[in-house]
Amino acid sequence: MFQADQKIVPRSVWGKFARSRWVMVWFTQLLYYGTAWLEYNGRQALLFDLDTRRFFLGPLVFYPQDFIYLTGLLVISALSLFLFTAVAGRVWCGYACPQTVYTEIFMWFERKIEGDRNDRLRRAAGPWTFDRAWRAVAKNSVWILFAAWTGFTFVGYFTPIRELTQELLTFTIQPWELFWIGFYSLATFGNAGFMREQVCKYMCPYARFQSAMFDKDTLLVTYDEARGEPRGSRSKKADPTALGLGACVDCNLCVQVCPTGIDIRKGLQYECIGCAACVDVCDQVMDKMNYPRGLVRYSTQNGLKNAWSKAQMLRRAFRPRVLVYTAVVWLLIAGMAAAIVARDDLRVDVLRDRSVSFRLAEDGLIENVYRLNLMNASEKVLEVRVSLSGDNPDFRVVEDAPIRVKPTESQWVVLHVQADPEGVESGSNPIVFNIQSARIVDGMVQPASAQTVEEDAVFLAPR
Ligand code: SF4
Ligand code: SF4
């Protein structure tokens, strides 16, 4: 049912791919911790404001009615993942996945405090001493602080981060904010500090279905078996051909640096996240032995089998499947961008007043009450007029004064609709609200910006 894993203690490695991983660590972390503090037009530039059900993305404001754009974004993300996987295998896992990025950061803290692999293994095998204890306390403290900062930033995307800071400093933070900071901190601490490769191996669904997106031209980290075998140790001066050996000196370093603890020489394995740590370390070994680099390298199954050059493999990157994915992704991006640019300024939700089905007004007319949620998705004040569609003289909206909705604001208004009892049918009568909006600039209504939204509703009359 359950097999306990041996703890993996990876050795540190440096090289061109490790450098690329750190570039991505800096890029993604500056993006994550920095974006929360950016402002646009006096408000937080990226904010999912759950209280007012608004999502701010720079100059754009989205409401729950704009859910379709989120769906579009998810479809584009999924197709992009297909595309990147088909071309470059698990490049996302190796360089940009939060699990990889935070594990890299946590391992950096660990190395700085507890030393590299050999020091850590030596301490772990020995008894608990003062030296071992203070290092463990220091490491966990730094991890907790870093995880707490991550959790705080996460909640800062849902509550304005400056307000959140103020609340934290004045001990007025809301319980749900505290809960989510704690929850996200704990998740970061647990995933990056302790679970690490277990998340990739046992929890991540992408690791399981990615092989369905692979083909023989997908870029992978590969071991050149034809060149490396038979493996065996030898002195630097020895001639491997004379000894009947391949290029692999069987130093095991590629296994020691692997964050998922696998041996790349055993071939393609689903645990491999494509981080290329083994490529960096093997290249260093090849340099020391004065052998050509690339015994372990990024290649494709076809490239390895046919001894293709980089240019030949690159040409296969433009195969029909990849071109189709690329075309579909760009079409979707263009379509979504056009839809966002052309979207209406105003969103409207119509709710009937549920406390009373209908009532009789003083002049004998039947009256229904509605609550309209007017949501301004623009950066301008909107002037809104509400009437009923069609030319049925038996129905009218009582309030005919224009309503002003502030930029990016969502506002509730109560409207009364009256009908002549002679002109309505008993029970339910369908009606359509006609809501016209126009932008106001420098106090003047801009007729060119006029837009109309229609919303269906029901008018109830006595039976
Ligand atoms: S690092 Fe390179 S030489 Fe050493 S065992 Fe791995 S493949 Fe062989
Ligand atoms: S086998 Fe190499 S590329 Fe794959 S996870 Fe291990 S170190 Fe990274």
Side-chain angles (χ1 to χ4, degrees):
M1 289 290 287
F2 175 79
Q3 187 188 357
D5 268 314
Q6 214 185 343
K7 186 169 168 49
I8 294 169
V9 184
R11 174 191 283 270
S12 68
V13 63
W14 195 242
K16 66 178 176 185
F17 296 109
R19 234 183 339 268
S20 307
R21 277 200 310 281
W22 274 99
V23 167
M24 283 308 289
V25 167
W26 278 102
F27 173 70
T28 51
Q29 298 315 287
L30 283 175
L31 204 66
Y32 177 68
Y33 297 106
T35 308
W37 293 94
L38 294 182
E39 295 222 320
Y40 179 84
N41 228 356
R43 61 166 191 262
Q44 192 166 317
L46 181 59
L47 179 69
F48 300 81
D49 191 340
L50 298 180
D51 269 354
T52 60
R53 303 194 307 157
R54 288 178 297 175
F55 169 40
F56 296 104
L57 179 62
L60 303 173
V61 189
F62 295 97
Y63 289 94
Q65 285 80 351
D66 297 317
F67 197 77
I68 182 79
Y69 299 115
L70 180 64
T71 312
L73 191 67
L74 290 177
V75 172
I76 290 171
S77 305
L79 278 171
S80 301
L81 201 60
F82 287 2
L83 172 63
F84 295 140
T85 307
V87 175
R90 292 182 72 177
V91 67
W92 161 262
C93 302
Y95 296 85
C97 172
Q99 180 60 28
T100 309
V101 168
Y102 283 105
T103 301
E104 190 86 40
I105 296 170
F106 274 51
M107 286 202 309
W108 184 83
F109 285 132
E110 190 171 58
R111 275 199 300 275
K112 289 291 158 200
I113 296 169
E114 295 188 327
D116 206 350
R117 174 185 156 90
N118 290 344
D119 291 331
R120 297 210 300 281
L121 286 176
R122 179 176 49 76
R123 270 196 211 95
W128 274 98
T129 59
F130 175 73
D131 176 66
R132 185 178 167 190
W134 83 255
R135 285 175 199 276
V137 170
K139 177 186 78 175
N140 282 287
S141 305
V142 174
W143 280 359
I144 289 170
L145 281 177
F146 193 80
W149 181 31
T150 309
F152 171 79
T153 305
F154 176 73
V155 175
Y157 283 107
F158 296 89
T159 295
I161 199 160
R162 286 171 177 76
E163 282 174 29
L164 192 66
T165 311
Q166 199 62 29
E167 288 174 11
L168 204 62
L169 295 176
T170 54
F171 303 104
T172 54
I173 194 159
Q174 301 294 315
W176 74 265
E177 292 166 340
L178 210 52
F179 169 80
W180 284 111
I181 291 176
F183 181 85
Y184 201 79
S185 305
L186 198 65
T188 309
F189 179 73
N191 287 350
F194 297 98
M195 294 174 72
R196 296 189 177 173
E197 79 288 344
Q198 312 264 346
V199 176
C200 311
K201 282 160 80 171
Y202 304 121
M203 292 163 72
C204 177
Y206 177 53
R208 301 282 162 172
F209 68 73
Q210 39 126 1
S211 54
M213 296 177 239
F214 279 17
D215 59 24
K216 287 193 164 32
D217 291 305
T218 298
L219 205 62
L220 307 163
V221 173
T222 55
Y223 166 68
D224 191 340
E225 201 176 330
R227 207 189 120 191
E229 299 296 320
R231 67 187 79 162
S233 60
R234 80 293 305 263
S235 83
K236 188 177 164 183
K237 289 185 193 129
D239 177 6
T241 322
L243 295 171
L245 292 172
C248 175
V249 300
D250 207 12
C251 60
N252 222 32
L253 284 175
C254 50
V255 182
Q256 291 179 20
V257 297
C258 178
T260 62
I262 58 169
D263 185 344
I264 191 65
R265 293 171 298 174
K266 290 182 181 162
L268 177 61
Q269 294 148 78
Y270 83 90
E271 295 98 332
C272 175
I273 58 169
C275 68
C278 52
V279 179
D280 276 336
V281 82
C282 191
D283 278 350
Q284 286 166 11
V285 175
M286 294 296 107
D287 287 350
K288 276 190 198 135
M289 299 298 292
N290 285 329
Y291 297 167
R293 287 181 162 205
L295 176 59
V296 180
R297 62 179 185 270
Y298 275 115
S299 182
T300 65
Q301 283 172 281
N302 271 338
L304 211 57
K305 190 169 137 214
N306 305 315
W308 279 350
S309 66
K310 278 186 186 162
Q312 282 172 304
M313 281 190 282
L314 195 64
R315 268 201 292 282
R316 286 299 297 161
F318 299 99
R319 54 198 184 277
R321 175 186 175 182
V322 172
L323 295 178
V324 169
Y325 280 152
T326 311
V328 174
V329 167
W330 279 111
L331 270 175
L332 282 173
I333 291 175
M336 200 158 107
I340 288 175
V341 169
R343 74 199 177 122
D344 290 336
D345 286 343
L346 191 70
R347 314 272 172 284
V348 183
D349 251 358
V350 178
L351 296 179
R352 280 185 48 80
D353 184 350
R354 297 196 183 278
S355 57
V356 189
S357 304
F358 59 84
R359 64 183 176 216
L360 291 179
E362 284 172 3
D363 46 9
L365 298 175
I366 304 168
E367 185 174 273
N368 280 201
V369 184
Y370 300 85
R371 296 178 72 225
L372 269 66
N373 189 197
L374 305 175
M375 292 162 267
N376 186 348
S378 79
E379 296 283 342
K380 302 277 184 266
V381 176
L382 291 183
E383 183 174 275
V384 179
R385 289 174 184 276
V386 184
S387 59
L388 291 175
S389 291
D391 49 7
N392 187 341
D394 295 321
F395 290 87
R396 73 178 185 98
V397 178
V398 176
E399 294 82 1
D400 55 4
I403 305 155
R404 295 214 164 176
V405 189
K406 289 183 193 158
T408 72
E409 290 287 313
S410 156
Q411 181 179 329
W412 284 96
V413 294
V414 175
L415 291 180
H416 300 80
V417 175
Q418 292 183 342
D420 186 339
E422 301 298 319
V424 297
E425 293 182 10
S426 67
S428 168
N429 295 263
I431 56 171
V432 179
F433 280 101
N434 179 294
I435 305 123
Q436 295 181 338
S437 67
R439 295 181 177 193
I440 296 185
V441 179
D442 298 330
M444 303 287 291
V445 176
Q446 306 292 304
S449 68
Q451 292 172 343
T452 302
V453 178
E454 289 199 324
E455 284 291 320
D456 294 334
V458 166
F459 185 93
L460 294 181
R463 289 186 185 275

